């Protein structure tokens, strides 16, 4: 938490909670002609701030009707926060003044710091360290500050929606502009806010600091986060674990997913698993809900806060305005929203309430005609079904046309009363994203339900709520996940032997087999005669491969011969793979030639472990063997993983049906496959810091079991081992 780094002073330990709740605010650079400083005053008034506000400018000229002073120190009263509207060049002087005045929080608007190149970066570092010495916690620079709606305070340098209202959703955004847009949208959608914090260049306070604070904040039930990068991954994950314990959702829009910094890696896994796949895995494994748009971010956070974890993942949809039921059904199907059928006797009970309505299905169309006590009765029946965790009522909501308002308000109050009398959380799902007029908004709020703006956003948010709730109940979410011990002895100390840290397939096998990874049988032949002898004992066609730490991709250079049958052919293949190695690179070290029985049929998978500089070791599982790169159908998780995670990864693959057997092939032995993958994962985790990457490609699976047909390990040079996970 920022608190660790933020200084303590005479007034006791400084916490982010205190920084975010100033009782008095000095606006440095305030002048009457400035709409920016006016905006700060206006924002404070919008949230009902009742503390002192001072205008500070060089001449001490009054501004916006506030008492003015020529410096913070000249105010002569203790102040909590200063908003610095001065240019970057003036910031360091103002910071000294701020500290002299005993102010502990400074919100810095100006740009021209780290975002402006190396010089700016150096200036920002100096700023941060000086702030630290002075005991001032800076927000930004290059940020819009924070708005604490719940505590009716802030230091916010942007617009505030006219109808901002307190509520359980917190917003944290690296970008000030995005934070501002999100706050505006929350107002537009009627979403109540606890606070909005922007962190800008994060000279000191980061989004992760703010996240840690918000997770514990009593006024916050869900957190909407926008970030381009996640700072301090380990602390981020710990905050996510704490949020899970408290049943609070973290919803994130993480930008930069297209900038796939595919790594320059020896193994294919490295290039398959871009940075974003690893981030995605980290978020998924920690129960953080990822969205792709700002609208989804606000609506999803709203839904999560309103409902909290559902008792069951199923959602019942009751439609009043008909028409759109099929759209809901289609969207639900597309987005994986769980809409369980009503079942019996619930169906029978509903039919009894709604005579003449033959099709009792979910979504249920009861039409406006059944809005008497039928509606409440249907809701009560739904409420008794264990399959459901929430109810969404599909209805028109009053928008531009005020002439419709009175009728719709009546309808909304019926819906509100109905939803209010059941235990399940309820939502109003409007058909479109149409702007609500003020009366409409009041009516929806009066009904005491969250109105979800339109079917696309609404169904998507409900689907995420449902999935998150299911995840919270799953094994994957268990806080006490056992982490396999590192360096399980048998792996010993294997130094890198290839120029880029690679070891031969044979050496990789020697490491992985004792760690529980099943391999196709093999022998290492050092002469054509040995090769032929071993092939003869196998009495079947064999695979003949060059074994060299300098040839990580053997078939690329013709160093693999498949389906070799008969003594002469084996002898010939022995010579051929050796000379392929020599042609590839003179002086390639050769450990021998590997002879294995030819396997056929089954499914080839790629299982790879790669190191992400930020998040540590990640495992990828994909279908396709040698085609994996083209098909790119992979599932990714951070290590360590449980068998349960591995099962989930297999299910997640687009081509997962292949594992269940297609074209008359029997289903693969899932248990054996999961066991083999777990062996690879544990071995990689056991190698730990010394591992750069590890790949088993292919891992072949059929109904009898799973075996590795190839393996490649890349070790890190000693100087690369930084102790990172
Ligand atoms: N014992 C075997 N039985 C059947 N096919 C094999 C066997 N060993 C290798 N192969 C096939 O040959 C391909 C290339 O062999 P592999 O050892 O993976 O070499 P590379 O170093 O090029 O990845 C594998 O992807 C697999 O399809
Ligand atoms: Mg291979």
């Amino acid at each position: 938490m920022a608190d660790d780094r933020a200084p303590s002073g005479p007034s006791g330990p400084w916490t982010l909670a205190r920084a975010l709740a100033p009782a008095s605010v000095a606006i440095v650079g305030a002048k009457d002609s400035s709409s920016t400083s006016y905006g700060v005053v206006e924002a404070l008034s919008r949230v009902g701030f009742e503390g002192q506000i001072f205008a500070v400018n060089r001449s001490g000229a009054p501004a916006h009707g506030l008492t003015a002073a020529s410096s913070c120190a000249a105010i002569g009263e203790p102040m909590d926060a200063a908003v610095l509207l001065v240019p970057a060049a003036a910031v360091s002087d103002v910071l000294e003044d701020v500290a002299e005045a005993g102010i502990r929080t400074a919100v810095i608007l100006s740009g021209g710091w780290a975002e402006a190149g190396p010089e700016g970066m150096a200036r920002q570092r100096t700023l941060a360290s000086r702030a630290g010495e002075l005991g001032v916690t800076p927000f930004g620079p290059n940020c819009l500050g924070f708005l604490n709606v719940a505590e009716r305070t802030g230091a916010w340098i942007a617009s505030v929606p006219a109808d901002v209202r307190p509520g359980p959703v917190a917003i944290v955004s690296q970008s000030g502009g995005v934070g501002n847009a999100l706050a505006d949208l929350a107002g537009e959608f009627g979403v109540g806010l606890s606070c909005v914090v922007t962190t800008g260049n994060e000279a000191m306070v980061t989004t992760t600091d703010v996240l840690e604070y918000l997770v514990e904040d009593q006024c916050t039930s869900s957190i909407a986060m926008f970030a381009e990068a996640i700072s301090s991954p380990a602390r981020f994950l710990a905050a996510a674990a704490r949020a899970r314990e408290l049943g609070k959702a973290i919803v994130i829009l993480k930008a930069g997913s297209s900038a796939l910094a595919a790594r320059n890696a020896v193994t294919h896994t490295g290039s398959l698993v871009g940075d974003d796949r690893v981030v995605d895995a980290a978020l998924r494994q920690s129960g953080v809900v990822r969205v792709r748009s700002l609208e989804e971010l606000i609506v999803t956070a709203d839904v999560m806060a309103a409902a909290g974890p559902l008792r069951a993942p199923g959602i019942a949809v009751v439609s009043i305005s008909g028409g759109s039921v099929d759209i809901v059904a289609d969207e639900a199907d597309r987005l994986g929203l769980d809409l369980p059928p009503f079942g019996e006797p619930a169906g029978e009970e509903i039919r009894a309430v709604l005579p003449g309505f033959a099709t009792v299905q979910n979504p249920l169309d009861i039409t406006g005609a059944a809005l008497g006590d039928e509606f409440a009765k249907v809701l009560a029946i739904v409420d008794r079904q264990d399959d459901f965790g929430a109810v969404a009522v599909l209805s028109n909501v009053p928008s531009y046309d005020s002439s419709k308002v009175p009728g719709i308000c009546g309808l909304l109050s019926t819906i509100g009363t109905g939803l209010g009398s059941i235990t399940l959380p309820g939502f109003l799902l409007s058909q479109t994203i149409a702007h609500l007029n003020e009366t409409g908004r009041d009516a929806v709020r009066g009904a005491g339900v969250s109105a979800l703006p339109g079917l696309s956003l609404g169904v998507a948010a409900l689907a995420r709520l449902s999935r998150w709730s299911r995840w919270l109940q799953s094994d994957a979410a268990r806080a006490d996940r056992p982490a396999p011990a590192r360096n399980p002895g048998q792996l010993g100390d294997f130094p890198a032997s290839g120029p880029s840290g690679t070891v031969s397939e044979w050496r990789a096998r020697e490491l992985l087999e004792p760690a529980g990874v099943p391999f196709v049988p093999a022998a290492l032949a050092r002469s054509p005669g040995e090769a032929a002898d071993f092939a003869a004992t196998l009495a079947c066609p064999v695979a003949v491969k060059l074994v060299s730490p300098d040839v990580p991709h053997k078939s690329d250079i013709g160093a693999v011969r498949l389906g070799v049958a008969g003594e002469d052919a084996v002898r010939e293949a022995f010579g051929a793979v050796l000379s392929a190695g020599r042609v590839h690179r003179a002086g390639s070290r050769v450990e021998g030639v590997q002879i294995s029985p030819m396997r056929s049929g089954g499914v080839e998978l790629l299982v790879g472990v790669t190191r992400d500089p930020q998040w540590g070791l990640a495992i990828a599982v994909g279908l396709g063997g040698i085609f994996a790169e083209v098909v790119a159908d992979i599932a990714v998780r951070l290590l360590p993983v449980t068998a349960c995670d591995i099962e989930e990864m297999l299910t997640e693959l687009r081509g997962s049906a292949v594992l269940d057997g297609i074209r008359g092939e029997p289903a693969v032995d899932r248990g054996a496959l999961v066991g083999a993958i777990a062996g690879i994962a544990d071995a990689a985790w056991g190698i730990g810091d010394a591992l750069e990457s590890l790949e088993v490609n292919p891992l072949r699976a059929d109904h009898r079991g799973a075996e590795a047909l190839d393996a490649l390990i890349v070790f890190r040079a000693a100087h690369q081992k930084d102790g990172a996970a």
Side-chain angles (χ1 to χ4, degrees), residues 297-310:
L297 183 56
I298 285 298
V299 176
T300 309
D302 181 34
V303 164
M304 300 289 194
L310 302 181

Side-chain angles (χ1 to χ4, degrees), residues 226-230 252-262 271-281 283 290-293:
F226 172 78
E228 283 144 35
I230 292 172
I252 191 170
L253 177 59
K254 160 80 178 61
S257 58
S258 54
L260 284 183
S271 47
L272 270 173
V273 182
D275 295 352
D276 194 63
R277 294 299 297 261
V278 178
V279 172
D280 211 56
L283 297 177
R290 189 173 191 182
V291 296
R292 301 285 169 181
S293 76

Side-chain angles (χ1 to χ4, degrees), residues 505 520 543 545 552-556 560 562 596-599 604 626 697-698 709-710:
E505 177 183 342
V520 65
K545 303 190 209 175
H553 301 296
K554 303 170 290 290
S555 42
D556 289 359
V560 175
L562 300 176
S596 295
M598 269 310 283
R599 301 300 199 208
E604 287 196 348
I626 54 170
N697 182 22
L709 298 189
D710 182 24

Side-chain angles (χ1 to χ4, degrees), residues 655-681:
S656 100
V658 172
L659 302 174
D660 302 328
I662 49 166
R663 298 212 186 133
E665 283 244 9
V668 307
D669 179 343
R670 283 258 180 160
L673 178 57
V674 169
I677 298 172
I680 297 167

Side-chain angles (χ1 to χ4, degrees), residues 74-449:
I75 294 174
E77 288 181 35
M79 304 289 290
D80 285 343
V83 179
L84 275 55
L85 304 180
V86 300
V91 165
S92 59
D93 284 350
V94 173
L95 201 67
E96 301 290 331
D97 172 40
V98 161
E100 198 186 327
I103 299 173
R104 316 266 321 254
T105 304
V107 172
I108 305 171
L109 169 69
S110 63
W113 304 86
E115 83 282 9
E119 264 176 48
M121 172 69 90
R123 264 203 311 280
Q124 184 173 312
R125 278 211 200 95
T126 312
L127 172 78
S129 72
R130 185 63 187 143
E133 286 161 16
L134 292 171
V136 176
T137 302
F139 283 79
N142 195 16
C143 81
L144 296 182
F146 56 86
L147 194 64
N148 191 335
V149 187
E151 310 252 355
R152 301 199 293 170
T153 177
W156 181 246
I157 318 169
S159 61
V160 174
D163 51 359
V164 65
R165 61 188 191 102
V169 175
I171 295 170
V172 53
S173 169
Q174 229 169 329
S175 151
V178 169
N180 189 17
L182 287 170
D184 284 348
L185 192 66
E188 171 82 22
F189 286 169
V191 174
L193 297 174
S194 56
C195 72
V196 184
V197 185
T198 67
T199 54
N201 289 6
E202 311 198 333
M204 194 180 279
V205 179
T206 67
T207 48
T208 301
D209 294 327
V210 177
L211 182 72
E212 284 175 337
Y213 158 72
L214 291 172
V215 165
E216 301 293 342
D217 177 37
Q218 303 277 335
C219 301
T220 298
S221 306
S222 78
I223 298 150
M225 178 165 175
F226 172 78
E228 283 144 35
I230 292 172
S231 55
S232 324
R235 283 172 49 220
F236 177 89
L237 294 179
R242 179 70 181 138
R244 174 182 71 212
E245 259 170 51
L246 297 172
K248 294 186 184 186
I250 300 171
V251 187
I252 191 170
L253 177 59
K254 160 80 178 61
S257 58
S258 54
L260 284 183
R263 275 169 230 112
N264 178 12
V266 181
T267 55
H268 296 130
T269 313
S271 47
L272 270 173
V273 182
D275 295 352
D276 194 63
R277 294 299 297 261
V278 178
V279 172
D280 211 56
L283 297 177
R284 174 196 296 269
Q285 276 168 284
S286 51
V288 173
V289 178
R290 189 173 191 182
V291 296
R292 301 285 169 181
S293 76
L294 297 174
E295 290 84 356
E296 284 181 314
L297 183 56
I298 285 298
V299 176
T300 309
D302 181 34
V303 164
M304 300 289 194
L310 302 181
R311 69 177 192 199
I315 312 272
V317 178
V318 178
S319 173
I320 289 175
S321 24
S324 305
V325 206
D326 290 341
I327 303 177
V328 172
D330 290 350
E331 282 295 277
D333 187 49
R334 189 173 71 84
L335 300 166
L337 171 61
D338 188 4
L339 297 176
F342 289 107
E344 295 302 339
E348 200 49 52
E349 288 169 36
I350 294 173
R351 265 186 290 276
V353 175
L354 303 175
F357 292 91
T359 25
V360 172
Q361 60 185 16
N362 185 18
L364 178 68
D365 186 3
I366 70 167
T367 81
L371 258 188
D373 61 350
E374 295 95 334
F375 177 67
K377 281 182 181 159
V378 168
L379 287 187
I381 297 166
V382 172
D383 201 25
R384 287 196 297 272
Q385 311 310 312
D386 293 340
D387 285 352
F388 297 112
V391 186
V393 176
L394 176 59
S395 170
N396 278 324
V397 293
S399 67
Y400 287 110
D401 184 356
S402 343
S403 65
K404 284 189 192 159
V405 166
I408 292 182
C409 287
L411 181 143
L412 286 175
S413 98
T414 309
I415 295 173
T417 315
L419 289 176
S421 57
I422 59 172
T423 55
L424 289 177
F427 296 96
L428 183 64
L429 184 55
S430 67
Q431 307 206 73
T432 69
I433 197 171
H435 177 90
L436 278 179
N437 62 20
E438 226 165 279
T439 325
R441 224 171 301 166
D442 289 348
V444 171
R445 244 175 248 167
V449 291

